[in-house]
């Protein structure tokens, strides 16, 4: 599917849901994609990209940022505290804040670096043991902690369990955000971004539908 087709489908989903045109930002998830595919999408005018590994992003994005104006880079994968300083320098948004220790590290480093990306808290809505994210019941406390640290908290993010109906998870995330007075909802991927938009997504993270399948050998 082409970038244009995805943008058309997003616009249609906005309309169907009674959302304002442009209410939803498309994050093109470029992890593990060959550089020429990423470059082609940049040339088509896409400027917001998502990566899930700090190291991989640090390898490919400084050069693209030199060559294309207005690139906005979002970290959508887990962040270890020892990579937090590098992440603050590289990313414009981090979607995976999921523990108080990381929030405190980001607050300290942001102070030292004089800049802080916009932050989303990742919520493990399916309460899956192997998955990152704060549990739904612990979300309010982590929001409060981020606010106490004066961090630029933009919203919540989730990755629904593969086997479950994603809408239930999107609805839960929307409820948690609303009760915490947060506007940002990072939810919806290639297979389910339209239902995420119906339930209030402000940022959809779409990879394979734009770039094609990722090589199976590489972990997502
Ligand atoms: C890889 C990834 C995506 C994109 O997934 P697709 O199914 O390829 O659209 C979205 N969000 C996160 C957190 C990812 O790791």
């Amino acid at each position: 599917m082409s970038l244009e087709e995805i943008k058309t489908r997003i616009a249609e989903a906005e309309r169907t849901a009674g959302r304002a045109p442009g209410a939803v930002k498309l994050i093109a998830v470029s992890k593990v994609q060959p550089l020429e595919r990423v470059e082609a999408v940049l040339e088509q005018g896409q400027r917001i990209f998502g990566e899930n590994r700090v190291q991989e992003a640090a390898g490919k994005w400084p050069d693209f940022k030199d060559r294309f104006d207005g690139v906005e880079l979002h970290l959508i994968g887990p962040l270890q505290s020892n990579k937090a300083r590098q992440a603050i320098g590289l990313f414009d948004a981090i979607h995976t804040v999921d523990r108080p220790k990381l929030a405190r590290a980001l607050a300290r480093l942001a102070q030292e670096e004089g800049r802080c990306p916009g932050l989303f808290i990742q919520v493990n809505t399916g309460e899956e043991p192997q998955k990152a994210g704060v549990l739904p019941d612990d979300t309010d406390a982590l929001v409060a902690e981020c606010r106490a640290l004066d961090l630029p908290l933009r919203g919540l993010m989730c990755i629904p369990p593969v086997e479950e109906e994603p809408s239930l998870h999107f609805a839960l995330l929307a409820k948690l955000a609303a009760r915490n007075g947060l506007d940002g909802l990072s939810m919806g991927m290639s297979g389910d971004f339209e239902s995420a938009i119906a339930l209030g997504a402000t940022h959809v993270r779409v990879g394979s539908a734009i770039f094609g399948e990722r090589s199976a050998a590489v972990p997502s």
Side-chain angles (χ1 to χ4, degrees):
M1 212 165 295
S2 70
L3 177 67
E4 280 315 310
E5 282 174 274
I6 298 294
K7 291 199 321 203
T8 303
R9 282 172 60 187
I10 289 173
E12 274 165 13
E14 285 173 340
R15 213 167 21 248
T16 308
R19 313 269 314 270
V24 180
K25 287 192 172 164
L26 170 62
I27 301 174
V29 177
S30 49
K31 65 184 181 199
V32 312
Q33 295 290 349
L35 293 182
E36 57 274 15
R37 281 196 204 163
V38 181
E39 184 162 343
V41 169
L42 277 159
E43 267 158 9
Q44 291 165 54
Q46 175 67 21
R47 286 296 178 270
I48 310 179
F49 290 85
E51 289 283 344
N52 71 336
R53 286 163 188 267
V54 176
Q55 226 44 57
E56 184 187 337
K60 74 178 150 188
W61 281 99
D63 179 51
F64 280 144
K65 280 187 170 184
D66 279 348
R67 294 170 47 216
F68 294 89
D69 283 335
V71 168
E72 202 181 295
L73 205 54
H74 292 233
L75 178 65
I76 60 170
L79 179 59
Q80 294 163 307
S81 298
N82 64 1
K83 300 248 174 74
R85 187 187 297 278
Q86 195 181 5
I88 284 177
L90 189 60
F91 291 97
D92 302 289
I94 295 175
H95 291 235
T96 49
V97 179
D98 65 354
R99 54 199 191 275
K101 181 171 175 255
L102 178 59
R104 288 193 292 268
L106 288 168
R108 177 172 52 78
L109 294 165
Q111 191 95 122
E112 289 174 21
E113 301 291 321
R115 92 185 280 266
C116 192
L119 302 179
F120 291 75
I121 289 175
Q122 181 177 356
V123 183
N124 185 355
T125 55
E127 308 196 19
E128 296 172 276
Q130 83 286 5
K131 195 169 268 177
V134 66
L135 293 173
D137 281 349
D138 298 332
T139 302
D140 296 0
L142 186 54
V143 169
E145 172 119 34
C146 289
R147 287 191 167 135
L149 290 164
D150 230 359
L151 287 167
L153 188 61
R154 303 279 181 253
L156 304 180
M157 175 271 216
C158 75
I159 308 170
V162 266
E163 319 265 270
E164 289 180 29
E165 169 54 44
S167 298
L168 302 174
H169 296 271
F170 298 153
L172 171 58
L173 197 72
K175 188 179 101 180
L176 292 169
R179 93 172 173 218
N180 281 287
L182 288 166
D183 298 326
L185 283 172
S186 167
M187 58 190 197
M189 319 201 323
S190 290
D192 54 22
F193 66 87
E194 281 137 328
S195 55
I197 291 170
L199 289 162
T202 57
H203 295 68
V204 294
R205 310 179 308 266
V206 180
S208 43
I210 296 174
F211 294 100
E213 289 303 322
R214 292 177 290 273
S215 144
V218 187
S220 67

